[in-house]
Amino acid sequence: MRVRPHTRFTLPDELNAVEPPEAHGLARDQVKLLVAEGSTVTHTRFDRIGDHLRPGDLLLVNTSATLAAAVDGQWITGSGVAPVAVHFSTALDDGTWVVELRSGGSPMFDAAAGDRVELPEGVLTLLAPYQPGLTRLWTAQPPVPDVVGYLRRHGRPITYQYVDRQWPLALYQTVFANQPGSAEMPSAGRPFSFELVSHLPAAGVLIAPILLHCGVSSPESHEPPLPERYDVPAHTARLVNWVKGNGGRVIAVGTTAVRAIETAARPDGSVVAAQGWTDLVLGPDRPAAIVDGLVTGMHAPEASHLLLLESVVGGDVVQRAYDAALERRYLWHEFGDVSLLLRN
């Protein structure tokens, strides 16, 4: 049975961020920042996030880089040919990929095993549904072995209907990105500028890398996250344990960083180096144990990400933050405004 988030709201269309802040003259770190801690909500700007961090706090940043993961092709079935977009979501260990087919901006559910999609340089073949009984995501044989290089040649960033034009891939990268593998941008890190990152350590704020490659989310479905590849390096695990032991706060930059570090948590409250696949889903039955807060974008109504936020700071804090964000006209999604949610 699907668990619904505690947080309830209606998002007006005009609060969808349809373009990056750079398109209207702002630097990426000049978006709005909402800080919520207990019953207090503060409105500020992202380049002032240091005012709300303490010396000894640790930011966990996701180093996954965004792929140009969408490729246009022709879907071939027994009854004809139709244009589709293939979203390359996740590389599997055997060289196949998890893909989503979309038509007219919406996910397709009527594909079948054996269907083929003509793409540049070759044909993609659907092998089997990735999730038993569901037909949105498929395991597929890609047209070439080196899919990351292939997407560099032929792909474009994944966009959903609230974004009405294509933007360069560079606008979908964070300053921390160095390991290509995400179908969608780990967007909580996007507002960090190089200048801001250089100032935070001078104020005593620590920064450590973590990796989780994001798959496709399909905003229409609001499904729990699928298994994703992650890596918690040994030096990051040691630093988390040191910060926790010395009274600092561990603050994840993004839901991806929360999922990765909580996967590496042990029952005694420590963290160990770990890597592989995580199927961890945080929520009422599995609250966050390690992180004391997170930096995160604004999530859509009913999104499973809201459950993760609630697992860190509680449902009342998230509801209060979203009510305030709506009142102050914050912008949603990957190019929008950001919140810093802190456990009281």
Side-chain angles (χ1 to χ4, degrees):
M1 183 178 69
R2 180 169 178 267
V3 178
R4 301 179 69 193
H6 165 91
T7 307
R8 315 299 299 172
F9 62 97
T10 300
L11 179 64
D13 288 344
E14 64 268 23
L15 296 188
N16 291 319
V18 300
E19 58 188 14
E22 294 94 320
H24 45 95
L26 294 178
R28 61 171 56 202
D29 61 3
Q30 291 180 326
V31 296
K32 293 179 183 176
L33 173 67
L34 181 152
V35 183
E37 183 173 13
S39 60
T40 301
V41 173
T42 304
H43 301 280
T44 182
R45 207 170 70 176
F46 192 80
D47 56 0
R48 297 169 188 149
I49 190 172
D51 296 344
H52 302 273
L53 302 175
R54 305 170 188 157
D57 283 348
L58 172 64
L59 294 177
L60 294 175
V61 299
N62 190 354
T63 57
S64 180
T66 311
L67 302 171
V71 182
D72 295 318
Q74 296 289 325
W75 177 42
I76 306 169
T77 70
S79 57
V81 175
V84 295
V86 178
H87 287 183
F88 286 81
S89 175
T90 306
L92 300 177
D93 294 334
D94 63 359
T96 62
W97 275 67
V98 179
V99 302
E100 180 188 42
L101 303 188
R102 297 180 74 90
S103 176
S106 299
M108 291 173 51
F109 298 98
D110 52 350
D115 284 357
R116 297 176 299 147
V117 180
E118 285 188 352
L119 295 176
E121 296 187 34
V123 172
L124 175 140
T125 303
L126 302 186
L127 300 175
Y130 184 55
Q131 299 165 285
L134 302 176
T135 57
R136 182 175 70 85
L137 298 173
W138 289 82
T139 57
Q141 188 65 49
V144 299
D146 176 16
V147 173
V148 172
Y150 175 83
L151 295 176
R152 198 175 294 124
R153 295 191 297 276
H154 299 292
R156 54 181 168 76
I158 288 175
T159 58
Y160 294 113
Q161 289 181 322
Y162 52 81
V163 175
D164 57 7
R165 57 167 285 191
Q166 291 293 317
W167 297 96
L169 181 61
L171 292 176
Y172 289 85
Q173 304 294 10
T174 74
V175 296
F176 310 111
N178 60 23
Q179 299 177 74
S182 281
E184 297 181 3
M185 174 173 56
S187 57
R190 189 183 191 283
F192 285 90
S193 63
F194 288 110
E195 181 180 17
L196 177 59
V197 171
S198 69
H199 289 167
L200 290 174
V205 176
L206 306 168
I207 299 175
I210 204 165
L211 177 73
L212 185 139
H213 290 315
C214 311
V216 296
S217 62
S218 189
E220 303 87 353
S221 301
H222 303 313
E223 298 164 347
L226 296 166
E228 294 170 310
R229 195 184 299 274
Y230 80 105
D231 185 8
V232 178
H235 57 278
T236 293
R238 287 196 297 271
L239 194 52
V240 168
N241 293 332
W242 184 86
V243 166
K244 298 288 285 185
N246 286 276
R249 298 177 299 183
V250 174
I251 298 169
V253 177
T255 57
T256 57
V258 176
R259 194 182 198 198
I261 198 67
E262 294 292 338
T263 300
R266 293 297 174 262
D268 65 358
S270 66
V271 169
V272 296
Q275 60 182 294
W277 291 89
T278 175
D279 58 1
L280 177 65
V281 177
L282 294 166
D285 296 333
R286 172 46 169 103
I290 302 300
V291 297
D292 302 290
L294 76 162
V295 177
T296 183
M298 310 305 296
H299 301 286
E302 296 279 331
S304 63
H305 288 85
L306 294 169
L307 283 169
L308 184 148
L309 271 53
E310 293 168 3
S311 82
V312 177
V313 297
D316 290 345
V317 172
V318 180
Q319 182 71 66
R320 192 175 299 116
Y322 274 69
D323 289 345
L326 288 164
E327 182 181 353
R328 293 293 189 106
R329 312 292 288 173
Y330 278 60
L331 295 179
W332 256 246
H333 307 304
E334 67 269 31
F335 291 141
D337 298 309
V338 184
S339 62
L340 169 62
L341 307 178
L342 296 169
R343 188 177 281 169
N344 201 2

